[in-house]
Each structure stands twice: as structure tokens, then as C-alpha cells.
Amino acid sequence: QWAGVVEEYRELLDVGPDTPAVTLGEGGTPLIRAEGLSARVGAEVHVKYEGMNPTASFKDRGMTMAITKAKAAGAKAVICASTGNTSASAAAYATKAGITSAVLVPAGKIAMGKMSQAVAHGATLLEVDGNFDDCLTLCRKLSEAYPVHLVNSVNPDRIEGQKTAAFEIVDALGAAPDIHVLPVGNAGNITAYWKGFREYRELGLAGSVPKMFGFQAAGAAPIVLGHPVDEPETVATAIRIGNPASWEQAEAARDESGGLIDSVTDAEILAAHRLLSSTEGIFVEPGSAASVAGLLKAAEAGLVPAGSLVTVTVTGHGLKDPQWALKSADGGDTTPVRVPVDAVSAARALG
Ligand SMILES: Cc1ncc(COP(=O)(O)O)c(/C=C/C(=O)C(=O)O)c1O
């Protein structure tokens, strides 16, 4: 039985040998060989399916560490700003730990699946009249003024937990990939993966480190533009972030690895979202598909040498924001065929 991120990697994490782990069995997610993508890109592409975590996003890796450490420190309440997945994960792990949680989300911009998770787990949910960056600013102020433990990815415990995905990729492949691709929003995840790949090399558990290829949504691409984006806009609400908290660390990951951080349009994101589900059997939320859209763009630009070993992280499950699967390619709504209960009509509908 997989024991969860803290137990499986305890000696490589910043946590005491006897600290009880607050876990929901996170980590140990599938690394799936993507035949269609491999053929299309001319490389060996594996997809790290992080939607298979307990709250259906990669955030659980960081949250098990942050809540484990918060509980050990005697915290009674945690708080976070979120575009949705962090709030869902914080609420679930806080509940598991018997700690109360408060989450601040941009009003009207949180996907229904994520909202339902935060509410289901009993979080106090504040809808802020602003964007994610405003929520994070407010959270920092509240955590300074009140006895609440901030669990956003500015908290190093989150980065610690999230780096384990890099460990799992090397453990599964027996080597580090040549290129690792992932979406970039607040930039905690690219920071965490780079830390994990470097640590495995330093420990002699990997002979190399990958180039880090990060992708932002074109309407929310501050690192690509080189300045904050005041009004970030994208259908990929998970990465609708204009002033990443881990900006410098993301640039370090890009530069030290000889990688890149680029942007992809909403159209490219939605096309990649559909390509994944309709050809690979992998269902992700739009923000996650920014990594696949970016891989296709990089391959088009000749940045993926033939035969490269490439891993791509898809960060959240498609059920978080299911509406996008029900829209046809031209944006219209798809309506399932209705048939009376008789075999002839059904057979005719099946064509
Ligand atoms: C599905 C999904 N994919 C990618 C990202 C970007 O990761 P970072 O670059 O580490 O921020 C997020 C981030 C979400 C939040 O920031 C939040 O939940 O508050 C996400 O939910």
C-alpha cells in the first residue's frame, strides 16, 4: 500500500523522523506513455497524471507537508489564497488534521468542482472582489495579524512536498528526462520540480537533470512579458495569475536548466485539452493542458530533439471544470443524442 508522500520520501523531506504524517494517500500517480503525443512530437513522451491525487490535483503533494508541519507546530487554523485547487486541497487536509481552514478565491473565477470541494470539506470560503494576486496579498496580511498558518506555495513546506513528483518520475523511468514540461501560474510547481531533479542528481539517484519548459497562458504571462499583468485573463482559471509569488525561482529553474518559459493561447490550450482526452484517454482541466500545448509549440519550433525523453505534468483532473469537455471545437454546446427506449432508434442513433 502506497503510504503517501511524507512516509515514502521522509528522509528526503524537511520533516522530523517521528512527525505524524497528515495524509490522504497522495502521490504515486501514474506516469503514462503517450503514444499519440510521442508520434506527433517525434520523442518519447510520458504524461505525469497529477489529477489522480486525492483532491484531483498536484497541490496534495505540497499540502500534506504543509498541514503535517502546521499540525506538529500546534496550528489551529490555516489560510490560503487560491484559484481553486490549493483551496480544495487545503480544506481536505485541514479537515483530516482536525484544523479549521479559510480560503480566499477570486469572486466568480473559481471552477465549480474546486468550489464544491472547499465547501464540502468545511472551509470558510471568502470570495474576494479581485483576482488571485489580490487574494494572496490579503492572505499575507491576515496571517500576520491573526493566528492562522499561511499554506500558499510561499510556504517552503509546499515546495518540499511538490518536489516528490520529480523523484517519482526518475524512480519510474530509471533516469531523469531530457526535458520536463509543466504549466506555470504562481510558479511554485516549476520551482519544486527543479529542486527535486537537482536533489536526485546530487544524491546520485539521477545522472542528469532535465531542461525545464514552463508554459503560461498568453493572457496571464508575466514571466514571459517580464512584468506583472494587472488584469490576467484566460479560460485556464487555474493559472489566471498576474504576479507569481515564485517568480525569481521560476526564472532560476529556466536559466539553470537551459530551459524556457513561454506562453500558449487559450485556443492552443483548449485544443491540447481535447487532444489529450480524445486520443490519450487522459482528462485534464484546461490549465493543465497548457503543458501539452506548450510541448506541441516547442516541438513545432524545433526545440525538442528527435528521440528525446520528455515528461509532461498535467496538474488537475478534467472533472474540476467539466464544462470545457461539453463544448464542441467551435465553442458551441454539444448535446447528447436523445433516443426513445427502443432498439431501432438507439441503433439508428449509434449510426
Ligand atoms: C491545475 C493547475 N495547474 C497549474 C497550476 C500552476 O501551478 P503553480 O505554477 O505552482 O501555481 C495550478 C495552480 C493553482 C493555484 O495557484 C491555486 O490553486 O491557487 C493549478 O491549479
Side-chain angles (χ1 to χ4, degrees):
Q1 158 91 357
W2 176 266
V5 155
V6 172
E7 289 306 341
E8 294 289 337
Y9 290 107
R10 189 180 280 271
E11 69 284 354
L12 301 181
L13 295 172
D14 177 22
V15 67
D18 306 320
T19 307
V22 176
T23 181
L24 292 167
E26 63 292 320
T29 56
L31 184 65
I32 303 165
R33 170 82 187 250
E35 305 301 346
L37 269 180
S38 299
R40 194 174 172 130
V41 168
E44 181 180 334
V45 181
H46 298 259
V47 173
K48 187 65 170 162
Y49 197 14
E50 287 292 280
M52 298 303 282
N53 279 296
T55 74
S57 89
F58 73 96
K59 301 288 183 180
D60 294 342
R61 292 180 185 275
M63 213 47 82
T64 183
M65 269 293 286
I67 299 292
T68 290
K69 300 279 288 287
K71 184 167 173 63
K76 295 286 177 277
V78 297
I79 191 168
C80 68
S82 179
T83 62
N85 281 320
T86 296
S87 64
S89 187
Y93 282 83
T95 297
K96 184 74 172 85
I99 295 176
T100 60
S101 61
V103 297
L104 281 67
V105 297
K109 290 291 177 183
I110 174 172
M112 190 53 68
K114 306 172 186 180
M115 167 89 83
S116 66
Q117 287 175 290
V119 171
H121 293 303
T124 300
L125 193 138
L126 305 183
E127 285 201 273
V128 175
D129 278 332
N131 58 34
F132 168 84
D133 306 288
D134 301 318
C135 294
L136 184 54
T137 303
L138 203 43
C139 259
R140 287 179 195 258
K141 289 194 181 99
L142 289 172
S143 65
E144 281 148 23
Y146 297 93
V148 285
H149 198 87
L150 181 62
V151 289
N152 273 96
S153 57
V154 294
N155 177 330
D157 298 333
R158 285 279 310 280
I159 304 301
E160 272 298 288
Q162 289 175 204
K163 75 183 182 183
T164 58
F167 296 164
E168 288 178 18
I169 285 171
V170 177
D171 290 344
L173 295 177
D178 299 313
I179 298 171
H180 186 75
V181 193
L182 76 173
V184 174
N186 215 18
N189 216 23
I190 189 169
T191 301
Y193 270 81
W194 181 232
K195 188 169 197 282
F197 285 124
R198 270 182 302 139
E199 287 181 358
Y200 250 37
R201 182 182 56 182
E202 279 146 31
L203 288 165
L205 296 171
S208 61
V209 288
K211 292 182 189 306
M212 300 299 291
F213 282 18
F215 290 92
Q216 302 200 294
I223 301 178
V224 180
L225 295 174
H227 62 74
V229 174
D230 292 341
E231 304 290 337
E233 262 322 323
T234 171
V235 296
T237 52
I239 55 175
R240 186 173 169 271
I241 294 173
N243 190 13
S246 301
W247 190 318
E248 288 74 24
Q249 298 92 314
E251 289 183 327
R254 173 196 63 194
D255 300 339
E256 292 168 13
S257 73
L260 60 87
I261 294 180
D262 195 2
S263 63
V264 282
T265 65
D266 281 2
E268 289 168 332
I269 287 172
L270 290 176
H273 171 265
R274 181 173 307 282
L275 179 73
L276 262 184
S277 58
S278 62
T279 63
E280 304 290 351
I282 298 172
F283 189 25
V284 303
E285 64 170 286
S288 307
S291 55
V292 173
L295 172 60
L296 296 176
K297 180 177 182 182
E300 274 298 300
L303 296 172
V304 181
S308 301
L309 180 57
V310 179
T311 49
V312 184
T313 294
V314 287
T315 42
H317 203 283
L319 290 173
K320 294 272 189 171
D321 203 356
Q323 56 170 325
W324 295 105
L326 298 177
K327 293 193 181 304
S328 57
D330 63 10
D333 290 330
T334 55
T335 43
V337 177
R338 298 216 24 188
V339 292
V341 185
D342 78 74
V344 172
S345 310
R348 191 178 303 125
L350 287 176

